């Protein structure tokens, strides 16, 4: 849905169509031009006799001559100094670059949409965590008030429990705002209005086996859409240099035309005329315009080659980062899962100790806050893994 409405995707798709049309035009340069014409005229000559501009016949003075003509002409370039071949190579390279840019745009858009989807889904899960925190704080406040009324706790215990409940509610309100923002942005991204809820799926959280980093590195360097686009652009720049150097060569063109003319004087009897010509044109000196064009296009080649080299290094650097993030996210998922289990048990123990008077409210609230943070951490770790996976897919241009 995002691919259909996002300007970057529409622009990339349009660029592919334009590049395809440019390649077709480059192919067309090898074909002859073909033109058909037809006209009718009413020619009046005052005074002396004159030549009818359409038929080429002499007409008497002070007379009107109506005439018709039709014809067809064709021309073809026989030799252009290898310009057409270079332009065709440039058009092919530009088409490859556009195709690679479209693939890259598609995966970048998928990454943007996935991240926004994950933001909405993470906010929904964090909201459930905040709601659980509020429920635990409310239960603890009830216990503190009950112990205060029974005389087995101080007023400070209930006040601290009340402060903890207030903090939990503030976190809940903030998360509710984050959820509304994430869902509204997701709706905008896919072309909808209002808010769009992210549907959860257990398949999202299945961790992949450890990838073959060497294989992925080779694949990224050779098949990454970013690299492919930059390399194709460099190839197009080199072909443009060859096309500009064709100006040093002569050009040879063949043209032919045939036509039929008639007028009222000969009862519109159409008379044929034909012409075939072969022309050679060689620009000996053009005040260094060719040299300027070549220098400009050679400079474009230097920039394009540097960009292609930098794209390869950038992909390598990003690949190292994404793989490290993926491994770190896996470790955090395991660690935070253990922390949640430990914090849950610790809070249970502290609450029991508090009920029998063997623990203070500070111990209970500390354990409660530790559990809240552990639950937040496990959600963040889970979505850090999903984001790292999506970024790695966008980098290599395929699903893992």
């Amino acid at each position: 849905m995002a691919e259909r409405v996002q300007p970057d995707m529409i622009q990339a798709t349009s660029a592919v169509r334009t590049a395809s049309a440019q390649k077709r035009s480059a192919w067309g340069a090898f074909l002859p031009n073909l033109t058909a014409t037809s006209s009718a005229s009413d020619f009046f000559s005052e005074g002396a006799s004159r030549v009818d501009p359409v038929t080429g016949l002499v007409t008497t003075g002070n007379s009107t001559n109506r005439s018709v003509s039709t014809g067809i002409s064709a021309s073809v370039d026989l030799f252009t100094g290898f310009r057409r071949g270079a332009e065709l190579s440039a058009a092919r390279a530009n088409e490859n670059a556009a195709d690679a840019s479209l693939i890259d745009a598609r995966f970048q858009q998928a990454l943007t949409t996935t991240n926004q989807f994950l933001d909405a889904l993470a906010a929904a899960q964090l909201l459930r965590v905040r709601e659980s925190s509020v429920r635990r704080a409310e239960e603890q406040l009830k216990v503190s008030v009950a112990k205060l009324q029974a005389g087995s706790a101080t007023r400070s215990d209930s006040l601290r429990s009340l402060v903890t409940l207030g903090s939990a509610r503030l976190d809940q309100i903030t998360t509710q705002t984050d959820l509304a923002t994430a869902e509204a942005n997701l709706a905008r991204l896919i072309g909808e209005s209002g808010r769009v809820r992210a549907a959860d799926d257990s398949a999202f959280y299945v961790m992949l086996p450890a990838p073959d980093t060497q294989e992925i590195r080779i694949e990224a360097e050779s098949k990454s859409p970013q690299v492919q686009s930059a390399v194709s652009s460099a190839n197009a720049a080199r072909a443009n240099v060859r096309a500009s150097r064709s100006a040093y060569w002569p050009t040879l063109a063949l043209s032919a035309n045939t036509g039929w003319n008639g007028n009222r004087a000969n009862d519109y009897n159409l008379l044929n005329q034909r012409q075939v010509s072969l022309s050679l044109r060689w620009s000996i000196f053009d005040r260094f315009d060719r040299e300027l064009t070549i220098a400009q296009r050679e400079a474009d080649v230097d920039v394009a080659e540097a960009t292609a080299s930098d794209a390869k290094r950038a992909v390598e650097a990003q690949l190292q980062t994404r793989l490290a993030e993926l491994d770190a996210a896996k470790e955090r998922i395991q660690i935070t899962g253990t922390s949640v289990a430990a914090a849950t048990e610790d809070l249970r123990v502290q609450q029991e100790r508090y009920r029998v008077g063997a623990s203070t409210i500070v111990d209970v609230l500390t354990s409660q806050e530790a559990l809240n943070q552990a639950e937040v951490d496990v959600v963040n770790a889970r979505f850090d893994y999903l984001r790292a996976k999506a970024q790695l897919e966008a980098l290599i241009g395929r699903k893992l």
Side-chain angles (χ1 to χ4, degrees), residues 179-197:
L179 177 60
T181 302
E183 290 182 346
N185 289 333
L186 180 60
R188 169 184 170 273
L189 197 62
I190 63 175
E192 299 291 331
S193 58
R195 293 170 58 175
V196 172
R197 184 179 64 86

Side-chain angles (χ1 to χ4, degrees), residues 2-17 102:
E3 286 181 4
R4 291 198 297 265
V5 299
Q6 287 305 305
D8 289 344
M9 278 301 304
I10 295 174
Q11 182 179 5
T13 304
S14 300
V16 170
R17 291 199 304 267
L102 176 61

